[in-house]
Amino acid sequence: MLADDLREAPWQEWFQRNSWVLGSQFVRVLDERHIDTQHISDFLMEAYDGFLDVVEIKRPDGGLAFWAGSLDHGNYVPSVDLTKAITQAARYIFEVEREANSVKFLERVGGVKTVKPRCVLVYGRSANWNDSQAEAYRILNASYHNLTVLTYDHVLERARRICGVKS
C-alpha cells in the first residue's frame, strides 16, 4: 500500500483491521469515532489501562511534506501540513477532554473512561531521512506530553519487529 498514493479511507480500513501495528498500548478500536457533532476522529481506542485515546492518520504521501522546505536557524522544522495535522490532533484531545464527563459520550464509547487522553498521529514517511532529520524527529516528539507522531515507515518497522521479519 505504501507504493501507491492511496487516499485516507483505505488506510483507515487497513488500520481498523491491523490495529496491533499501533502498539501494545491499545487493546481495541472502539466502534464510535464521533467526539462530538463537529469532530470525528479516525479512531477512538481503548488503551491497555482501560482509558480512551485517539488515533489520527493522514495519508503517507499525497504531497504532504513532513519537514518544511528550508531549515530555520539550522533546524529541521515541521511543514505547514504537519503543523495542521498536529493542531487537529491537539483539538481532538481537547474536545475529548471536554466530553469526558458527558454521560452520553461515555455511553457512546461503551463505558471507556476518559482521563488525560493521548493521541497517536500517523503522518508521512521517514525512510529517506538523514541523521539530522531523525534527530529533529526525536526532539519534536519529546516536546509533546500527550501526542506521539509516527511515520508510516515507523509503523512498518514496528510491524516487522513484532512479526519477526527482518528489514
Side-chain angles (χ1 to χ4, degrees), residues 13-64:
E13 293 169 13
W14 189 88
F15 277 104
Q16 177 79 33
R17 290 189 317 272
N18 298 283
S19 62
W20 59 271
V21 301
L22 294 169
S24 60
Q25 72 262 33
F26 300 121
V27 295
R28 72 182 172 109
V29 177
L30 302 179
D31 292 333
E32 184 62 46
R33 294 178 47 222
H34 290 78
I35 298 167
D36 58 24
T37 57
Q38 295 179 334
H39 302 94
I40 303 170
S41 66
D42 287 320
F43 301 104
L44 295 177
M45 308 285 286
E46 180 180 358
Y48 70 90
D49 58 5
F51 293 97
L52 185 139
D53 285 333
V54 178
V55 173
E56 182 63 21
I57 63 170
K58 298 297 179 195
R59 57 197 289 196
D61 291 311
L64 299 176

Short mmCIF file of all heavy atoms in Angstrom, two decimals, residues 13-64:
data_model
loop_
_atom_site.label_atom_id
_atom_site.label_comp_id
_atom_site.label_asym_id
_atom_site.label_seq_id
_atom_site.Cartn_x
_atom_site.Cartn_y
_atom_site.Cartn_z
N GLU A 13 -9.31 1.74 6.80
CA GLU A 13 -9.75 0.35 6.79
C GLU A 13 -8.61 -0.59 7.19
O GLU A 13 -8.81 -1.53 7.96
CB GLU A 13 -10.28 -0.02 5.40
CG GLU A 13 -11.56 0.69 5.02
CD GLU A 13 -11.92 0.51 3.56
OE1 GLU A 13 -11.34 -0.36 2.87
OE2 GLU A 13 -12.79 1.27 3.08
N TRP A 14 -7.41 -0.33 6.67
CA TRP A 14 -6.27 -1.18 6.97
C TRP A 14 -5.92 -1.11 8.46
O TRP A 14 -5.70 -2.14 9.10
CB TRP A 14 -5.06 -0.78 6.11
CG TRP A 14 -3.95 -1.76 6.26
CD1 TRP A 14 -3.76 -2.89 5.54
CD2 TRP A 14 -2.88 -1.69 7.22
NE1 TRP A 14 -2.64 -3.55 5.99
CE2 TRP A 14 -2.08 -2.83 7.01
CE3 TRP A 14 -2.53 -0.79 8.21
CZ2 TRP A 14 -0.95 -3.09 7.77
CZ3 TRP A 14 -1.40 -1.05 8.97
CH2 TRP A 14 -0.63 -2.19 8.75
N PHE A 15 -5.87 0.11 9.01
CA PHE A 15 -5.57 0.25 10.43
C PHE A 15 -6.67 -0.35 11.30
O PHE A 15 -6.39 -0.89 12.37
CB PHE A 15 -5.33 1.72 10.81
CG PHE A 15 -3.93 2.18 10.52
CD1 PHE A 15 -3.67 2.99 9.42
CD2 PHE A 15 -2.87 1.83 11.33
CE1 PHE A 15 -2.38 3.42 9.15
CE2 PHE A 15 -1.57 2.25 11.07
CZ PHE A 15 -1.32 3.05 9.97
N GLN A 16 -7.90 -0.29 10.86
CA GLN A 16 -9.00 -0.92 11.59
C GLN A 16 -8.77 -2.42 11.71
O GLN A 16 -8.95 -3.00 12.77
CB GLN A 16 -10.32 -0.63 10.86
CG GLN A 16 -11.54 -1.29 11.50
CD GLN A 16 -12.06 -0.56 12.70
OE1 GLN A 16 -11.98 0.65 12.78
NE2 GLN A 16 -12.61 -1.29 13.64
N ARG A 17 -8.35 -3.05 10.61
CA ARG A 17 -8.11 -4.49 10.60
C ARG A 17 -6.79 -4.88 11.27
O ARG A 17 -6.64 -6.01 11.71
CB ARG A 17 -8.10 -5.01 9.15
CG ARG A 17 -9.43 -5.01 8.47
CD ARG A 17 -9.40 -5.75 7.12
NE ARG A 17 -8.23 -5.47 6.31
CZ ARG A 17 -8.12 -4.46 5.43
NH1 ARG A 17 -9.14 -3.64 5.25
NH2 ARG A 17 -7.03 -4.28 4.73
N ASN A 18 -5.84 -3.95 11.30
CA ASN A 18 -4.50 -4.25 11.80
C ASN A 18 -4.07 -3.29 12.90
O ASN A 18 -2.94 -2.81 12.93
CB ASN A 18 -3.49 -4.18 10.64
CG ASN A 18 -3.79 -5.19 9.57
OD1 ASN A 18 -3.51 -6.37 9.72
ND2 ASN A 18 -4.40 -4.73 8.48
N SER A 19 -4.95 -3.03 13.83
CA SER A 19 -4.67 -2.03 14.87
C SER A 19 -3.48 -2.41 15.75
O SER A 19 -2.89 -1.54 16.39
CB SER A 19 -5.91 -1.79 15.74
OG SER A 19 -6.29 -2.97 16.42
N TRP A 20 -3.08 -3.66 15.75
CA TRP A 20 -1.93 -4.11 16.54
C TRP A 20 -0.66 -3.37 16.15
O TRP A 20 0.24 -3.22 16.98
CB TRP A 20 -1.74 -5.62 16.39
CG TRP A 20 -1.52 -6.06 14.97
CD1 TRP A 20 -2.47 -6.41 14.06
CD2 TRP A 20 -0.27 -6.19 14.30
NE1 TRP A 20 -1.89 -6.74 12.86
CE2 TRP A 20 -0.54 -6.62 12.98
CE3 TRP A 20 1.05 -5.99 14.67
CZ2 TRP A 20 0.45 -6.85 12.04
CZ3 TRP A 20 2.05 -6.22 13.74
CH2 TRP A 20 1.75 -6.64 12.45
N VAL A 21 -0.57 -2.87 14.91
CA VAL A 21 0.65 -2.16 14.49
C VAL A 21 0.81 -0.82 15.18
O VAL A 21 1.90 -0.24 15.16
CB VAL A 21 0.74 -1.96 12.95
CG1 VAL A 21 0.71 -3.29 12.22
CG2 VAL A 21 -0.34 -1.03 12.45
N LEU A 22 -0.25 -0.33 15.81
CA LEU A 22 -0.17 0.95 16.51
C LEU A 22 0.48 0.81 17.88
O LEU A 22 0.78 1.81 18.52
CB LEU A 22 -1.58 1.56 16.64
CG LEU A 22 -2.21 1.94 15.32
CD1 LEU A 22 -3.67 2.29 15.51
CD2 LEU A 22 -1.45 3.10 14.68
N GLY A 23 0.70 -0.41 18.32
CA GLY A 23 1.41 -0.62 19.56
C GLY A 23 0.59 -1.37 20.60
O GLY A 23 -0.63 -1.45 20.52
N SER A 24 1.30 -1.88 21.57
CA SER A 24 0.67 -2.68 22.61
C SER A 24 -0.11 -1.84 23.61
O SER A 24 -0.79 -2.38 24.47
CB SER A 24 1.72 -3.52 23.33
OG SER A 24 2.69 -2.68 23.92
N GLN A 25 -0.02 -0.51 23.49
CA GLN A 25 -0.78 0.32 24.42
C GLN A 25 -2.27 0.30 24.12
O GLN A 25 -3.07 0.73 24.94
CB GLN A 25 -0.26 1.76 24.47
CG GLN A 25 -0.56 2.60 23.26
CD GLN A 25 0.60 2.67 22.28
OE1 GLN A 25 1.37 1.73 22.13
NE2 GLN A 25 0.73 3.79 21.62
N PHE A 26 -2.66 -0.20 22.95
CA PHE A 26 -4.08 -0.24 22.59
C PHE A 26 -4.59 -1.67 22.60
O PHE A 26 -3.96 -2.57 22.06
CB PHE A 26 -4.29 0.35 21.20
CG PHE A 26 -3.86 1.79 21.10
CD1 PHE A 26 -2.90 2.18 20.20
CD2 PHE A 26 -4.41 2.76 21.92
CE1 PHE A 26 -2.49 3.51 20.10
CE2 PHE A 26 -4.01 4.09 21.85
CZ PHE A 26 -3.05 4.46 20.93
N VAL A 27 -5.77 -1.85 23.20
CA VAL A 27 -6.36 -3.18 23.24
C VAL A 27 -7.50 -3.35 22.26
O VAL A 27 -7.81 -4.46 21.86
CB VAL A 27 -6.82 -3.57 24.67
CG1 VAL A 27 -5.64 -3.68 25.60
CG2 VAL A 27 -7.84 -2.60 25.22
N ARG A 28 -8.13 -2.23 21.89
CA ARG A 28 -9.19 -2.36 20.88
C ARG A 28 -9.57 -1.01 20.30
O ARG A 28 -9.42 0.03 20.93
CB ARG A 28 -10.41 -3.04 21.45
CG ARG A 28 -11.22 -2.23 22.43
CD ARG A 28 -12.40 -3.04 22.98
NE ARG A 28 -13.05 -2.32 24.04
CZ ARG A 28 -14.24 -1.76 23.96
NH1 ARG A 28 -14.94 -1.88 22.86
NH2 ARG A 28 -14.76 -1.12 24.97
N VAL A 29 -10.09 -1.09 19.07
CA VAL A 29 -10.66 0.06 18.38
C VAL A 29 -12.12 0.14 18.80
O VAL A 29 -12.85 -0.85 18.73
CB VAL A 29 -10.57 -0.10 16.85
CG1 VAL A 29 -11.23 1.07 16.14
CG2 VAL A 29 -9.13 -0.26 16.40
N LEU A 30 -12.54 1.30 19.26
CA LEU A 30 -13.94 1.48 19.64
C LEU A 30 -14.80 1.66 18.40
O LEU A 30 -14.33 2.14 17.37
CB LEU A 30 -14.08 2.69 20.56
CG LEU A 30 -13.25 2.64 21.85
CD1 LEU A 30 -13.45 3.91 22.66
CD2 LEU A 30 -13.59 1.42 22.68
N ASP A 31 -16.05 1.28 18.50
CA ASP A 31 -16.97 1.44 17.37
C ASP A 31 -17.27 2.90 17.08
O ASP A 31 -17.57 3.27 15.96
CB ASP A 31 -18.29 0.69 17.65
CG ASP A 31 -18.11 -0.81 17.68
OD1 ASP A 31 -17.18 -1.32 17.02
OD2 ASP A 31 -18.89 -1.49 18.37
N GLU A 32 -17.19 3.73 18.10
CA GLU A 32 -17.52 5.16 17.97
C GLU A 32 -16.31 5.94 17.47
O GLU A 32 -15.18 5.69 17.90
CB GLU A 32 -17.96 5.70 19.34
CG GLU A 32 -18.41 7.13 19.31
CD GLU A 32 -19.64 7.37 18.43
OE1 GLU A 32 -20.61 6.60 18.52
OE2 GLU A 32 -19.61 8.33 17.65
N ARG A 33 -16.55 6.89 16.57
CA ARG A 33 -15.50 7.78 16.08
C ARG A 33 -15.83 9.24 16.34
O ARG A 33 -14.97 10.10 16.30
CB ARG A 33 -15.29 7.59 14.57
CG ARG A 33 -14.75 6.23 14.20
CD ARG A 33 -14.60 6.05 12.70
NE ARG A 33 -13.97 7.18 12.08
CZ ARG A 33 -14.35 7.73 10.92
NH1 ARG A 33 -15.36 7.23 10.26
NH2 ARG A 33 -13.71 8.76 10.41
N HIS A 34 -17.09 9.53 16.61
CA HIS A 34 -17.53 10.90 16.83
C HIS A 34 -17.16 11.35 18.25
O HIS A 34 -17.58 10.74 19.22
CB HIS A 34 -19.04 11.03 16.65
CG HIS A 34 -19.48 10.88 15.24
ND1 HIS A 34 -19.58 9.66 14.60
CD2 HIS A 34 -19.83 11.82 14.33
CE1 HIS A 34 -19.98 9.85 13.36
NE2 HIS A 34 -20.14 11.15 13.16
N ILE A 35 -16.40 12.41 18.32
CA ILE A 35 -16.10 13.01 19.61
C ILE A 35 -17.29 13.87 20.03
O ILE A 35 -17.76 13.81 21.15
CB ILE A 35 -14.80 13.84 19.54
CG1 ILE A 35 -13.63 12.92 19.18
CG2 ILE A 35 -14.57 14.60 20.85
CD1 ILE A 35 -12.36 13.64 18.79
N ASP A 36 -17.77 14.67 19.10
CA ASP A 36 -18.98 15.47 19.26
C ASP A 36 -19.54 15.67 17.86
O ASP A 36 -19.11 15.00 16.92
CB ASP A 36 -18.70 16.78 20.01
CG ASP A 36 -17.64 17.65 19.33
OD1 ASP A 36 -17.44 17.52 18.09
OD2 ASP A 36 -17.02 18.47 20.02
N THR A 37 -20.46 16.58 17.70
CA THR A 37 -21.11 16.75 16.40
C THR A 37 -20.18 17.35 15.34
O THR A 37 -20.41 17.21 14.15
CB THR A 37 -22.36 17.64 16.51
OG1 THR A 37 -21.99 18.91 17.07
CG2 THR A 37 -23.42 16.98 17.36
N GLN A 38 -19.10 18.01 15.77
CA GLN A 38 -18.20 18.67 14.82
C GLN A 38 -16.87 17.96 14.63
O GLN A 38 -16.15 18.27 13.69
CB GLN A 38 -17.93 20.10 15.29
CG GLN A 38 -19.15 20.98 15.28
CD GLN A 38 -18.83 22.38 15.77
OE1 GLN A 38 -17.89 22.58 16.53
NE2 GLN A 38 -19.60 23.34 15.31
N HIS A 39 -16.52 17.04 15.50
CA HIS A 39 -15.19 16.43 15.47
C HIS A 39 -15.30 14.91 15.39
O HIS A 39 -15.86 14.28 16.29
CB HIS A 39 -14.39 16.84 16.71
CG HIS A 39 -14.25 18.32 16.83
ND1 HIS A 39 -15.11 19.10 17.57
CD2 HIS A 39 -13.35 19.17 16.28
CE1 HIS A 39 -14.76 20.36 17.49
NE2 HIS A 39 -13.69 20.44 16.70
N ILE A 40 -14.75 14.38 14.30
CA ILE A 40 -14.79 12.94 14.06
C ILE A 40 -13.35 12.46 13.91
O ILE A 40 -12.66 12.82 12.95
CB ILE A 40 -15.60 12.59 12.80
CG1 ILE A 40 -17.02 13.15 12.91
CG2 ILE A 40 -15.63 11.08 12.59
CD1 ILE A 40 -17.82 13.08 11.63
N SER A 41 -12.91 11.64 14.83
CA SER A 41 -11.54 11.13 14.78
C SER A 41 -11.47 9.94 13.83
O SER A 41 -12.49 9.36 13.46
CB SER A 41 -11.09 10.69 16.18
OG SER A 41 -11.87 9.58 16.60
N ASP A 42 -10.26 9.57 13.46
CA ASP A 42 -10.11 8.35 12.67
C ASP A 42 -10.38 7.14 13.55
O ASP A 42 -11.06 6.21 13.13
CB ASP A 42 -8.71 8.27 12.06
CG ASP A 42 -8.55 9.25 10.92
OD1 ASP A 42 -9.51 9.41 10.13
OD2 ASP A 42 -7.50 9.88 10.81
N PHE A 43 -9.87 7.16 14.78
CA PHE A 43 -10.11 6.07 15.72
C PHE A 43 -10.13 6.59 17.14
O PHE A 43 -9.26 7.37 17.53
CB PHE A 43 -9.01 5.00 15.63
CG PHE A 43 -8.86 4.39 14.27
CD1 PHE A 43 -7.81 4.76 13.46
CD2 PHE A 43 -9.77 3.46 13.80
CE1 PHE A 43 -7.66 4.21 12.20
CE2 PHE A 43 -9.64 2.91 12.54
CZ PHE A 43 -8.57 3.29 11.73
N LEU A 44 -11.11 6.14 17.90
CA LEU A 44 -11.05 6.23 19.35
C LEU A 44 -10.67 4.84 19.81
O LEU A 44 -11.24 3.84 19.35
CB LEU A 44 -12.40 6.66 19.93
CG LEU A 44 -12.86 8.07 19.55
CD1 LEU A 44 -14.25 8.35 20.11
CD2 LEU A 44 -11.87 9.13 20.03
N MET A 45 -9.70 4.77 20.69
CA MET A 45 -9.13 3.48 21.09
C MET A 45 -9.24 3.30 22.60
O MET A 45 -9.17 4.27 23.35
CB MET A 45 -7.65 3.42 20.72
CG MET A 45 -7.32 3.76 19.28
SD MET A 45 -7.73 2.47 18.12
CE MET A 45 -6.44 1.29 18.45
N GLU A 46 -9.35 2.05 23.01
CA GLU A 46 -9.21 1.74 24.42
C GLU A 46 -7.76 1.34 24.65
O GLU A 46 -7.26 0.41 24.00
CB GLU A 46 -10.14 0.62 24.85
CG GLU A 46 -10.00 0.29 26.33
CD GLU A 46 -10.90 -0.81 26.81
OE1 GLU A 46 -11.71 -1.34 26.00
OE2 GLU A 46 -10.80 -1.17 28.00
N ALA A 47 -7.10 2.04 25.55
CA ALA A 47 -5.71 1.74 25.88
C ALA A 47 -5.66 0.57 26.88
O ALA A 47 -6.66 0.22 27.50
CB ALA A 47 -5.03 2.97 26.46
N TYR A 48 -4.49 -0.01 27.02
CA TYR A 48 -4.32 -1.15 27.93
C TYR A 48 -4.72 -0.82 29.36
O TYR A 48 -5.09 -1.69 30.13
CB TYR A 48 -2.88 -1.67 27.89
CG TYR A 48 -1.90 -0.70 28.53
CD1 TYR A 48 -1.61 -0.78 29.89
CD2 TYR A 48 -1.29 0.29 27.79
CE1 TYR A 48 -0.74 0.12 30.48
CE2 TYR A 48 -0.42 1.18 28.37
CZ TYR A 48 -0.15 1.09 29.72
OH TYR A 48 0.71 1.99 30.30
N ASP A 49 -4.67 0.46 29.74
CA ASP A 49 -5.03 0.86 31.10
C ASP A 49 -6.53 1.10 31.25
O ASP A 49 -7.00 1.51 32.31
CB ASP A 49 -4.24 2.09 31.54
CG ASP A 49 -4.44 3.30 30.64
OD1 ASP A 49 -5.26 3.25 29.69
OD2 ASP A 49 -3.74 4.30 30.87
N GLY A 50 -7.29 0.86 30.17
CA GLY A 50 -8.73 0.99 30.22
C GLY A 50 -9.27 2.37 29.90
O GLY A 50 -10.48 2.59 29.98
N PHE A 51 -8.39 3.29 29.52
CA PHE A 51 -8.83 4.65 29.22
C PHE A 51 -8.82 4.91 27.72
O PHE A 51 -8.20 4.18 26.95
CB PHE A 51 -7.95 5.67 29.94
CG PHE A 51 -8.13 5.62 31.43
CD1 PHE A 51 -7.25 4.90 32.23
CD2 PHE A 51 -9.19 6.28 32.04
CE1 PHE A 51 -7.42 4.84 33.60
CE2 PHE A 51 -9.37 6.23 33.41
CZ PHE A 51 -8.48 5.50 34.20
N LEU A 52 -9.51 5.96 27.33
CA LEU A 52 -9.70 6.31 25.92
C LEU A 52 -8.54 7.15 25.39
O LEU A 52 -8.09 8.08 26.06
CB LEU A 52 -11.01 7.10 25.78
CG LEU A 52 -11.43 7.45 24.36
CD1 LEU A 52 -12.93 7.25 24.23
CD2 LEU A 52 -11.06 8.88 24.04
N ASP A 53 -8.05 6.80 24.22
CA ASP A 53 -7.06 7.58 23.48
C ASP A 53 -7.55 7.76 22.05
O ASP A 53 -8.49 7.10 21.61
CB ASP A 53 -5.69 6.89 23.49
CG ASP A 53 -4.98 7.01 24.83
OD1 ASP A 53 -5.24 7.98 25.56
OD2 ASP A 53 -4.17 6.12 25.14
N VAL A 54 -6.87 8.63 21.32
CA VAL A 54 -7.25 8.99 19.96
C VAL A 54 -6.12 8.59 19.00
O VAL A 54 -4.95 8.74 19.33
CB VAL A 54 -7.49 10.51 19.85
CG1 VAL A 54 -7.85 10.92 18.43
CG2 VAL A 54 -8.55 10.97 20.84
N VAL A 55 -6.49 8.10 17.83
CA VAL A 55 -5.52 7.87 16.75
C VAL A 55 -6.02 8.65 15.54
O VAL A 55 -7.17 8.53 15.15
CB VAL A 55 -5.37 6.38 16.41
CG1 VAL A 55 -4.49 6.19 15.18
CG2 VAL A 55 -4.80 5.61 17.60
N GLU A 56 -5.13 9.44 14.99
CA GLU A 56 -5.43 10.22 13.79
C GLU A 56 -4.41 9.84 12.73
O GLU A 56 -3.21 9.79 13.01
CB GLU A 56 -5.38 11.72 14.10
CG GLU A 56 -5.72 12.61 12.94
CD GLU A 56 -7.16 12.44 12.44
OE1 GLU A 56 -8.03 11.95 13.18
OE2 GLU A 56 -7.40 12.81 11.28
N ILE A 57 -4.88 9.54 11.54
CA ILE A 57 -3.96 9.20 10.45
C ILE A 57 -4.14 10.18 9.30
O ILE A 57 -5.23 10.70 9.08
CB ILE A 57 -4.16 7.74 9.96
CG1 ILE A 57 -5.55 7.55 9.36
CG2 ILE A 57 -3.88 6.74 11.07
CD1 ILE A 57 -5.72 6.23 8.64
N LYS A 58 -3.06 10.42 8.61
CA LYS A 58 -3.06 11.16 7.36
C LYS A 58 -2.43 10.24 6.33
O LYS A 58 -1.66 9.34 6.66
CB LYS A 58 -2.25 12.46 7.49
CG LYS A 58 -2.80 13.42 8.52
CD LYS A 58 -4.19 13.89 8.13
CE LYS A 58 -4.78 14.82 9.15
NZ LYS A 58 -6.21 15.00 8.97
N ARG A 59 -2.72 10.49 5.09
CA ARG A 59 -2.14 9.64 4.05
C ARG A 59 -0.62 9.80 4.03
O ARG A 59 -0.11 10.88 4.35
CB ARG A 59 -2.77 9.92 2.71
CG ARG A 59 -2.66 11.36 2.27
CD ARG A 59 -3.61 11.70 1.18
NE ARG A 59 -3.23 11.10 -0.08
CZ ARG A 59 -3.71 11.49 -1.24
NH1 ARG A 59 -4.58 12.47 -1.32
NH2 ARG A 59 -3.33 10.90 -2.34
N PRO A 60 0.11 8.76 3.68
CA PRO A 60 1.58 8.83 3.78
C PRO A 60 2.23 9.76 2.76
O PRO A 60 3.30 10.30 3.03
CB PRO A 60 2.02 7.38 3.54
CG PRO A 60 0.87 6.70 2.90
CD PRO A 60 -0.36 7.44 3.32
N ASP A 61 1.60 9.96 1.64
CA ASP A 61 2.18 10.83 0.62
C ASP A 61 1.16 11.91 0.26
O ASP A 61 0.84 12.74 1.08
CB ASP A 61 2.61 10.02 -0.61
CG ASP A 61 3.80 9.11 -0.30
OD1 ASP A 61 4.77 9.61 0.27
OD2 ASP A 61 3.73 7.91 -0.63
N GLY A 62 0.69 11.91 -0.95
CA GLY A 62 -0.32 12.88 -1.35
C GLY A 62 0.16 14.31 -1.30
O GLY A 62 -0.63 15.23 -1.13
N GLY A 63 1.47 14.50 -1.41
CA GLY A 63 2.01 15.85 -1.40
C GLY A 63 2.16 16.45 -0.01
O GLY A 63 2.52 17.62 0.12
N LEU A 64 1.90 15.67 1.03
CA LEU A 64 2.05 16.17 2.40
C LEU A 64 3.50 15.99 2.84
O LEU A 64 3.98 14.88 3.00
CB LEU A 64 1.13 15.41 3.36
CG LEU A 64 -0.37 15.51 3.09
CD1 LEU A 64 -1.14 14.63 4.07
CD2 LEU A 64 -0.84 16.95 3.19
#
